[in-house]
């Protein structure tokens, strides 16, 4: 490969994924071209053989969400992989968690899986998420794949791979259904343990519509009022994203209009989820973490809940009151998952890794980032709560919520944004040390987290570097109305001379 093409491939790396522009618009040119995807397939084949030590003829499942560019990218992938002698299982419409399960189900027995998705990003984007039997690819794995993205790295193969088709999503849905039935032990009707419940799904025209029809309805739930279940890569109703205000407002409207007991929303590829209760109150972000933590801690007392760095201080108090421990780590779903794995390996039991964005991975489920399994786990407890005249909000009645919360994204215009960001954080440490109403959080893994008091009000703020962009997000929470503005006014003096940092 020439140097410019190597750089173009490297630019497609997004942490542990591949992402780029797959549909041209007035503003964007295609970066995820057929040729580049085919080359990534060569690098993937080389990686499977040399790094993952897959012997013989490898077998790889390929699936996609509802994006319009999915079929084009799949064709390019299949061209590259079959050239490398790999057997392909084309599973069609799928979810990211289901693609990993293709490496676990005996009926599939795949060595690896590739999910074609760009998660919640707008329609013109697409990308690749890569799996083997041991889990998702890491950043360094993508480095290797990109570095070997060329035919020349492959041994000449005498036989091209073949392509077969299987309905993975139905297999995955049946597996979830069986697990929910097994988890609801006190149901009068073992096959329909959610009978009498009215639960709706908002799939946002992503890949999550199956959960209403192939899981909830099979379990006896009334799913009338569910919306946007049909896959549509134009995302005509709203972005499929539980962390998006418009999407959550849409779910709230549907819950209240249908009189549902519960609403569920997924992102495009179903590795994230959130819940809405019957009153239209969101069980998302910190409340969602509190709900699943309450359930997990009842089953596994004393376990450590690994979260990202932006969770509320009140969540920590809630988890500790339930007898657990919270371990705040860095943003990024691979980061929190890997930290939970590390804790377990070092003798600290951790049953779940979860971000405020809705990414959740449970130890009992391969530490797989799986929004559908998260909802399935919650439904097992939900059914028992309803039988006893209770509801999910009762699990978190003791969770204190801040009066205000806000996230600000500050753009770095300096050419070397990483160095500049580090300098800003170092300067902030000095600024905080000189302010009597600000105190550094002693246990912090990312950026600078500060607790506020006195005239600033009880609360906290966190300034950190974005994982991949020239951006410094700042999260703020306060227990009093107007508290955030007081903190921002105090920080205005600090930001005044940061000429390469602006909103």
């Amino acid at each position: 490969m020439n140097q410019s093409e190597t750089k173009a491939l490297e630019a497609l790396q997004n942490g542990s994924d591949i992402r780029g522009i797959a549909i041209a618009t007035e503003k964007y040119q295609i970066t995820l071209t057929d040729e580049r995807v085919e080359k990534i397939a060569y690098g993937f084949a080389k990686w499977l053989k040399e790094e993952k030590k897959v012997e013989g003829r490898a077998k790889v499942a390929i699936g996609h969400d509802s994006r319009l560019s999915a079929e084009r990218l799949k064709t390019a992938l299949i061209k590259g992989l079959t050239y490398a002698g790999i057997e392909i299982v084309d599973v069609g419409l799928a979810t990211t968690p289901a693609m990993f399960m293709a490496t676990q189900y005996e009926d599939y027995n795949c060595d690896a899986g590739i999910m074609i998705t760009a998660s919640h990003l707008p329609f013109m984007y697409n990308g690749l998420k890569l799996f083997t039997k041991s889990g998702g690819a890491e950043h360094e794995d993508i480095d290797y794949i990109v570095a070997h993205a060329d035919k020349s790295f492959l041994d000449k193969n005498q036989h091209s791979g073949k392509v077969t088709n299987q309905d993975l999503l139905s297999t995955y849905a049946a597996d979830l259904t069986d697990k929910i039935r097994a988890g609801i032990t006190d149901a009068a009707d073992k096959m329909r343990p959610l009978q009498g419940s009215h639960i709706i799904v908002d799939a946002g025209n992503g890949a999550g519509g199956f959960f209403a029809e192939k899981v909830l309805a099979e379990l006896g739930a009334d799913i009338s009022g569910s919306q946007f279940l049909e896959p549509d890569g134009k995302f005509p109703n709203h972005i499929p994203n539980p962390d998006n205000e418009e999407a959550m407002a849409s779910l709230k409207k549907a819950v209240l209009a249908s009189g549902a007991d519960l609403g569920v929303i997924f992102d495009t590829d179903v590795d994230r989820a959130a819940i809405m209760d019957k009153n239209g109150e969101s069980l998302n972000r910190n409340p969602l973490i509190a709900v699943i933590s309450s359930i997990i801690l009842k089953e596994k007392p004393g376990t450590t809940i690994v979260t990202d760095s932006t969770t509320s201080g009140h969540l920590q108090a809630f988890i500790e009151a339930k007898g657990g421990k919270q371990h705040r780590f860095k943003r990024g779903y691979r980061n929190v998952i890997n930290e939970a794995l590390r804790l377990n390996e070092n003798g600290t039991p951790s049953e779940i890794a979860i971000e405020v964005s809705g990414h959740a991975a449970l130890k009992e489920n391969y530490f797989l980032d799986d929004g559908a399994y998260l909802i399935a786990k919650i439904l097992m407890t939900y059914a028992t709560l309803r039988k006893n005249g209770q509801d999910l909000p009762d699990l978190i009645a003791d969770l204190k919520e801040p009066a205000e919360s806000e996230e600000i994204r500050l753009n770095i215009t300096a050419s070397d944004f990483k160095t500049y960001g580090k300098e800003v954080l170092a300067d902030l440490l000095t600024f905080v040390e000189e302010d009597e109403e600000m105190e550094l959080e002693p246990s912090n893994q990312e950026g600078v987290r500060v607790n506020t008091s006195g005239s600033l009000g009880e609360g906290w703020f966190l300034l950190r570097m974005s994982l991949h962009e020239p951006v410094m997000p700042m999260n703020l929470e306060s227990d009093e109305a107007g508290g955030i503005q007081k903190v921002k006014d105090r920080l205005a003096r600090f930001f005044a001379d940061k000429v390469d940092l602006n909103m």
Side-chain angles (χ1 to χ4, degrees):
M1 288 186 295
N2 60 48
Q3 189 173 8
S4 63
E5 185 60 16
T6 299
K7 287 185 176 180
L9 285 168
E10 290 173 347
L12 296 174
Q13 180 169 4
N14 183 68
S16 57
D17 301 340
I18 298 288
R19 282 186 186 174
I21 302 298
I23 295 177
T25 67
E26 290 185 5
K27 185 177 179 181
Y28 297 105
Q29 295 295 314
I30 293 177
T31 58
L32 207 56
T33 64
D34 292 0
E35 182 183 15
R36 288 170 186 163
V37 172
E38 183 182 340
K39 287 182 176 180
I40 289 167
Y42 300 142
F44 184 71
K46 179 74 171 178
W47 176 69
L48 286 181
K49 180 179 179 180
E50 301 298 335
E51 297 297 302
K52 305 308 288 187
K53 306 302 180 185
V54 174
E55 298 179 356
R57 291 172 69 82
K59 185 178 181 183
V60 176
I62 300 179
H64 57 81
D65 62 22
S66 58
R67 291 177 181 274
L68 300 174
S69 55
E71 288 294 335
R72 176 178 71 80
L73 300 186
K74 182 170 67 175
T75 299
L77 273 177
I78 289 174
K79 181 180 179 181
L81 292 176
T82 52
Y83 175 87
I86 288 177
E87 307 246 350
I88 304 296
V89 181
D90 181 353
V91 302
L93 185 72
T95 70
T96 293
M99 292 311 302
F100 169 75
M101 293 305 295
T103 70
Q104 307 297 315
Y105 293 145
E106 291 184 4
D107 290 347
Y108 291 80
N109 194 30
C110 291
D111 298 294
I114 301 177
M115 177 66 179
I116 303 171
T117 182
S119 189
H120 62 280
L121 293 178
F123 76 95
M124 73 283 295
Y125 287 88
N126 216 329
L128 309 174
K129 292 186 177 181
L130 313 174
F131 301 92
T132 64
K133 291 178 182 292
S134 59
E138 300 285 353
H139 188 287
E140 56 269 25
D141 297 320
I142 305 299
D143 286 341
Y144 182 95
I145 290 167
V146 169
H148 294 82
D150 195 89
K151 276 184 180 179
S152 63
F153 290 105
L154 297 176
D155 298 329
K156 189 172 181 180
N157 208 299
Q158 299 299 318
H159 305 284
S160 62
K162 64 179 182 179
V163 181
T164 58
N165 299 88
Q166 284 186 260
D167 182 9
L168 175 63
L169 204 50
S170 291
T171 303
Y172 174 71
D175 183 35
L176 279 178
T177 303
D178 288 344
K179 287 173 178 174
I180 294 171
R181 285 181 178 132
I184 304 175
T185 57
D186 55 354
D189 186 338
K190 298 295 184 183
M191 294 301 292
R192 297 170 66 80
L194 294 180
Q195 194 161 18
S197 295
H198 185 181
I199 305 173
I200 67 169
V201 172
D202 182 333
N205 302 113
F210 80 96
F211 195 83
E213 299 161 341
K214 294 187 177 184
V215 179
L216 295 177
E218 287 293 316
L219 294 168
D222 176 1
I223 61 169
S224 60
S226 292
Q227 60 184 13
F228 318 139
L229 303 184
E230 289 299 317
D232 185 342
K234 295 179 181 178
F235 307 132
N237 297 290
H238 62 71
I239 294 173
N241 181 5
D243 215 22
N244 177 271
E245 290 184 5
E246 182 186 2
M248 293 305 290
S250 177
L251 177 61
K252 179 177 182 177
K253 183 178 179 180
V255 167
L256 296 178
S258 64
D261 301 313
L262 202 65
V264 176
I265 189 167
F266 296 110
D267 73 342
T268 319
D269 60 328
V270 197
D271 59 1
R272 292 190 296 131
I275 294 174
M276 188 79 64
D277 73 15
K278 63 183 178 183
N279 298 314
E281 294 295 325
S282 170
L283 298 179
N284 195 14
R285 301 180 68 80
N286 287 291
L288 179 65
I289 298 174
V291 166
I292 190 61
S293 295
S294 180
I295 293 169
I296 294 294
L297 285 166
K298 188 173 181 180
E299 298 175 356
K300 303 287 185 178
T303 196
T304 295
I305 313 293
V306 178
T307 73
D308 69 89
S309 60
T310 65
T311 52
S312 170
H314 298 310
L315 178 65
Q316 180 178 345
F318 176 86
I319 289 172
E320 290 175 353
K322 294 288 183 181
K325 300 169 186 172
Q326 185 190 9
H327 181 74
R328 275 198 305 264
F329 198 58
K330 301 174 183 177
R331 286 296 296 268
Y333 71 95
R334 288 305 313 172
N335 287 332
V336 293
I337 290 172
N338 287 342
E339 182 67 359
L341 290 168
R342 185 191 69 81
L343 289 176
N344 280 295
E345 288 171 1
N346 292 342
T348 300
S350 176
E351 292 292 325
I352 185 171
I354 183 167
E355 282 196 295
V356 293
S357 64
H359 283 289
L362 279 75
K363 182 179 180 180
E364 65 187 51
N365 189 45
Y366 308 94
F367 269 119
L368 174 62
D369 191 29
D370 188 344
Y373 187 83
L374 173 67
I375 299 303
K377 183 71 175 178
I378 291 172
L379 288 176
M380 297 174 199
T381 293
Y382 168 78
T384 299
L385 287 170
R386 277 186 56 84
K387 186 176 180 181
N388 296 329
Q390 296 177 292
D391 208 342
L392 287 176
D394 294 322
L395 291 178
I396 58 171
D398 297 333
L399 175 66
K400 185 177 179 181
E401 293 271 35
E404 299 177 330
S405 62
E406 185 177 343
E407 180 174 280
I408 302 169
R409 293 176 66 81
L410 303 167
N411 297 304
I412 300 174
T413 56
S415 56
D416 186 353
F417 70 89
K418 291 184 179 179
T419 298
Y420 184 80
K422 290 178 181 178
E423 291 173 355
V424 170
L425 293 177
D427 290 346
L428 182 58
L429 286 173
T430 302
F431 181 86
V432 169
E433 289 171 356
E434 296 173 353
D435 193 313
E436 293 183 354
E437 295 182 326
M438 295 184 181
E439 182 180 10
L440 291 173
E441 169 62 43
S443 178
N444 184 56
Q445 302 283 346
E446 182 175 38
V448 175
R449 182 166 175 137
V450 179
N451 298 317
T452 62
S453 60
S455 65
L456 295 177
E458 297 293 326
W460 60 272
F461 67 88
L462 169 70
L463 183 67
R464 60 183 176 86
M465 286 289 297
S466 171
L467 294 176
H468 311 295
E469 304 173 280
V471 171
M472 297 191 78
M474 184 166 70
N475 297 83
L476 306 95
E477 282 192 6
S478 179
D479 288 343
E480 66 175 56
I484 286 179
Q485 189 58 51
K486 291 178 182 178
V487 173
K488 288 161 70 174
D489 290 344
R490 183 74 59 89
L491 290 172
R493 180 162 51 90
F494 169 76
F495 288 116
D497 64 346
K498 307 301 179 190
V499 294
D500 288 323
L501 193 63
N502 52 74
M503 295 180 65

